[in-house]
Amino acid sequence: FPHVWLASSFKGSGGQDIDWVPVRHHVNNHYSWNKLIIAGLPSVAKVGGFVLTGWSRYMHHTDLCELLPASVPSLALCLAAATSHEETALPDGRVSGISAQLGFTGNIPVRNEPHFGDSATELSFPGHGVYEVIFRHAFLLAQFSQVRQIFDGAERARASEILSKKAVKLMEDAEVELGKVFPPSVVQEWIHTKLSHVLQWLQKQT
């Protein structure tokens, strides 16, 4: 073939049960492609460009994974990486500029798991409310795991009561923010598959 197109992803390829987008995983994939291009792929065939894919389900009957609005920061950095000639990292100024355009007070978090020091409160890009819901959901699951594995007896009951209130508030906010972007069927599916079982378990402990 005289031309080849390269396929990559900005979301949806890290696992069928992943909700928080592992930005570093996706951006590093583009750097790997850049290395291959620089190493001589064009001598075999001319590169026509990148096709950036973004699955929301692995199969038609599986649960939702990364949602598009929550993946906008990943998409922005992946586009920057794909259109650069960088092999390992974008210049700090480029990253900070993209982050500022999306409303981040610092650089876009690229960790595979959100960090307590990351902020998701000053965002301005379309659908940022969904990003914030997913951000809070990831923390809720981390706390939920701690309650199940570490606490017991009265201590578990107290922790479960506190966390159940956070889960209820998150469900309410998810219904509002996801409802701005998705039809009611998708909103209810996400809440049912991602939060309902957590709340049910917590309420049984109190």
Side-chain angles (χ1 to χ4, degrees):
F1 296 96
H3 295 81
V4 295
W5 283 77
L6 309 178
S8 62
S9 65
F10 67 95
K11 76 179 187 77
S13 63
Q16 68 180 34
D17 58 348
I18 291 179
D19 300 299
W20 172 260
V21 184
V23 178
R24 179 180 284 121
H25 165 78
H26 295 293
V27 174
N28 284 346
N29 179 247
H30 289 88
Y31 294 142
S32 296
W33 276 119
N34 286 346
K35 289 179 182 179
L36 186 60
I37 293 171
I38 294 170
L41 181 59
S43 65
V44 179
K46 186 176 181 180
V47 176
F50 276 97
V51 176
L52 270 71
T53 65
W55 294 358
S56 293
R57 299 182 194 273
Y58 267 57
M59 300 182 75
H60 295 297
H61 61 274
T62 57
D63 294 341
L64 290 162
C65 54
E66 297 111 306
L67 301 176
L68 177 58
S71 308
V72 170
S74 177
L75 176 59
L77 288 182
C78 285
L79 285 171
T83 55
S84 73
H85 297 291
E86 303 296 335
E87 298 183 46
T88 56
L90 290 168
D92 289 340
R94 186 85 185 277
V95 175
S96 61
I98 294 171
S99 301
Q101 283 183 309
L102 298 181
F104 287 90
T105 53
N107 285 342
I108 295 170
V110 298
R111 301 177 181 90
N112 289 341
E113 295 292 339
H115 188 269
F116 284 101
D118 297 330
S119 173
T121 58
E122 303 293 333
L123 307 181
S124 58
F125 59 87
H128 66 86
V130 177
Y131 178 95
E132 293 166 12
V133 164
I134 301 300
F135 187 91
R136 290 165 55 196
H137 176 248
F139 282 131
L140 181 75
L141 291 184
Q143 293 175 300
F144 177 60
S145 178
Q146 287 183 335
V147 170
R148 294 187 67 177
Q149 297 176 18
I150 300 175
F151 298 128
D152 202 1
E155 191 176 32
R156 172 180 282 187
R158 287 193 297 271
S160 295
E161 183 178 7
I162 294 171
L163 199 56
S164 66
K165 293 178 181 179
K166 292 183 179 181
V168 169
K169 182 64 167 67
L170 182 56
M171 290 177 77
E172 294 171 350
D173 293 345
E175 188 169 10
V176 172
E177 295 302 335
L178 270 68
K180 295 176 182 178
V181 182
F182 299 105
S185 60
V186 173
V187 177
Q188 293 307 311
E189 177 191 348
W190 192 89
I191 291 174
H192 175 72
T193 58
K194 309 296 183 180
L195 283 172
S196 292
H197 69 286
V198 174
L199 181 58
Q200 290 172 4
W201 188 92
L202 291 169
Q203 290 175 336
K204 287 180 180 178
Q205 311 307 311
T206 59

